[in-house]
Amino acid sequence: MVCLCQLMVVLDVSVVNVALPSIRADLGFGASGLQWVVNAYTLTFGGLLLLGGRLADLAGQRRAAVLGLGLFGVTSLLGGLAQSPAELVAARAAQGVAGAVLLPVSLTVITTTFAEGPARHRALAVWGAVAGAGGAAGVLLGGVLTEYLDWRWTLFVNVPIAVVAVPLAARCLRDLRPGRRERPDVVGALLGTAAMTTLVHTVVRTDTYAWGSARTLGGFALAVLLAAAFVVVERRTAAPLVRLGILRTRSLAVACLTVFLIACGQFGAFYFASLYLQGVLDYSPVATGLAFVPFSVGVVVGTIVAGRLMPTVGPRPLLVAGLALGAVGMGWFGGVSADGGFLTDMLGPSLVASFGLGLCMVTNTAAGTSGVARAEAGLASGLLNSARQCGGSIGLAVLVTVASTVTRHHDDPAGAAGPAALTAGYARAFLVAGALMAVAAVAAAVLLPRTDPRTATGPGVGRDGGAKEIAEVADVADVAEAAAEAAKASVAAEVVRAGEAQAPDGTVADPATAPATGPGDGGDRPASGLRTPGSGSRPER
């Protein structure tokens, strides 16, 4: 059942990505409007992910899972039946809400069901394998469904999964009584999501209204006001969605900035690669899905290499190297031509960029969660995932604006819709994505604290474990997350849990009154009656 939850979340993004050109042609999306098929999902998903984790704790795993699965199935059905761009975008936004509930539930079930040790590791391995397989296969499935059935089936495919998963969740899951009945910070979540949505919408509309126009400046001002209101609410709320003081942890703040910039470039790269392959090179949806496979493989290989090397060199050098390779690969994508081909224009940069991104994924998470208090490990990982989703939405909006502007002013005999004009816009967007990766590399090299890999610690990582423990976690779940990311499913291993099982005095609450923590703490927090942090809960190796 847990794997079905994970599969739905992972498939939803990767399957739809390949269908974008068909969706545009069928529903009449404009050049800048098509991105909302992606952004509507990522904005609500990323903006409400932290709240989803809290709601799952308050409502219980079973009720949250049934609600999330049911909502996902209904919104997928409505999206597949959409007859206008507005209907599809609304359905995608609602899917993001459902995903924000499902993803925390899926891993929380594992951490509260399986005790720490081999059993939990095996469960995490299966959970992660589903994420990787679903993400990597999603682009292929999307191509097959779009080409041989219809793009609507990329959404309908979730319906039978939900039909099977809802009764399984109702029968197999049990609700754990939470130790504290704190009110969820709904106002904070809505303000944060509204601020990001306003910012993205304002950037998107710059293709119609100049950057210096009153409408554009007013939109930016509104986004700033909403963000300021979010900060005020978080400071005054008894149980804030985000404890702002956690961002004073330098490693976490830098990691959030880094993953934000990575997502800004990565989301746009997948978006434009799909449009280039189908709109310029005339690839079929199936051929487009196959063209993404080398990228998926490259990310997985890079992640495995990072997991093996991190105990020796630490996360910082690998992160900087991966970002540099990602910048080179994205810049190489900027050389695409209207009369190019997969071997000459796509394969080389796909391998370089994907290997670099694979190096980044595990190392950025390890660097970001190092030095974070054990009780706030889930919050840290949730912030990293939210930064990724929001960065992807804002970056995609910026890159679409850049590409549209270049395409509109390009001298192409076939007009703005000609292959030369389109390719010029896509190429410029790839170059900007590469520049964002380069900025991230500089930020990581200059701002990220140096750590000794022999003594590096993170939440749930004892000083006797160090980077070796992080590498083990990477082998279990982050490799699978890499494949999901490579297929545009950037929602796998960093799930929201804010350490609700820890009491104010630092001890772990009784499992009868509080669920165990989730993935942000590396699986080392006690679960199901295990010992308190100071009692030597780590098994000897």
mmCIF file of all heavy atoms in Angstrom, residues 121 164 279 311 330 362:
data_model
loop_
_atom_site.group_PDB
_atom_site.id
_atom_site.type_symbol
_atom_site.label_atom_id
_atom_site.label_comp_id
_atom_site.label_asym_id
_atom_site.label_seq_id
_atom_site.Cartn_x
_atom_site.Cartn_y
_atom_site.Cartn_z
ATOM 1 N N HIS A 121 15.640 -1.054 6.914
ATOM 2 C CA HIS A 121 16.454 -0.781 5.731
ATOM 3 C C HIS A 121 15.893 -1.485 4.497
ATOM 4 O O HIS A 121 15.878 -0.932 3.397
ATOM 5 C CB HIS A 121 17.897 -1.229 5.980
ATOM 6 C CG HIS A 121 18.615 -0.362 6.970
ATOM 7 N ND1 HIS A 121 19.827 -0.691 7.513
ATOM 8 C CD2 HIS A 121 18.276 0.823 7.537
ATOM 9 C CE1 HIS A 121 20.213 0.247 8.357
ATOM 10 N NE2 HIS A 121 19.283 1.177 8.391
ATOM 11 N N VAL A 164 -7.527 0.675 -6.084
ATOM 12 C CA VAL A 164 -6.935 -0.458 -5.375
ATOM 13 C C VAL A 164 -6.372 -0.035 -4.020
ATOM 14 O O VAL A 164 -6.500 -0.740 -3.018
ATOM 15 C CB VAL A 164 -5.827 -1.101 -6.236
ATOM 16 C CG1 VAL A 164 -5.079 -2.175 -5.443
ATOM 17 C CG2 VAL A 164 -6.417 -1.704 -7.498
ATOM 18 N N GLY A 279 8.849 19.089 -30.625
ATOM 19 C CA GLY A 279 8.441 20.221 -31.442
ATOM 20 C C GLY A 279 9.410 20.604 -32.530
ATOM 21 O O GLY A 279 9.004 21.159 -33.564
ATOM 22 N N PRO A 311 32.096 8.982 2.300
ATOM 23 C CA PRO A 311 32.785 8.680 3.557
ATOM 24 C C PRO A 311 34.258 9.072 3.535
ATOM 25 O O PRO A 311 34.866 9.254 4.591
ATOM 26 C CB PRO A 311 32.619 7.157 3.682
ATOM 27 C CG PRO A 311 31.427 6.824 2.870
ATOM 28 C CD PRO A 311 31.460 7.783 1.724
ATOM 29 N N MET A 330 24.473 21.708 -18.782
ATOM 30 C CA MET A 330 23.392 22.605 -19.182
ATOM 31 C C MET A 330 23.878 23.593 -20.237
ATOM 32 O O MET A 330 23.162 23.911 -21.191
ATOM 33 C CB MET A 330 22.854 23.361 -17.966
ATOM 34 C CG MET A 330 22.124 22.496 -16.961
ATOM 35 S SD MET A 330 20.654 21.712 -17.662
ATOM 36 C CE MET A 330 20.165 20.670 -16.276
ATOM 37 N N VAL A 362 22.618 13.450 -3.174
ATOM 38 C CA VAL A 362 22.892 12.892 -1.854
ATOM 39 C C VAL A 362 23.733 13.862 -1.039
ATOM 40 O O VAL A 362 23.493 14.078 0.154
ATOM 41 C CB VAL A 362 23.615 11.544 -1.990
ATOM 42 C CG1 VAL A 362 23.965 10.987 -0.613
ATOM 43 C CG2 VAL A 362 22.750 10.555 -2.747
#
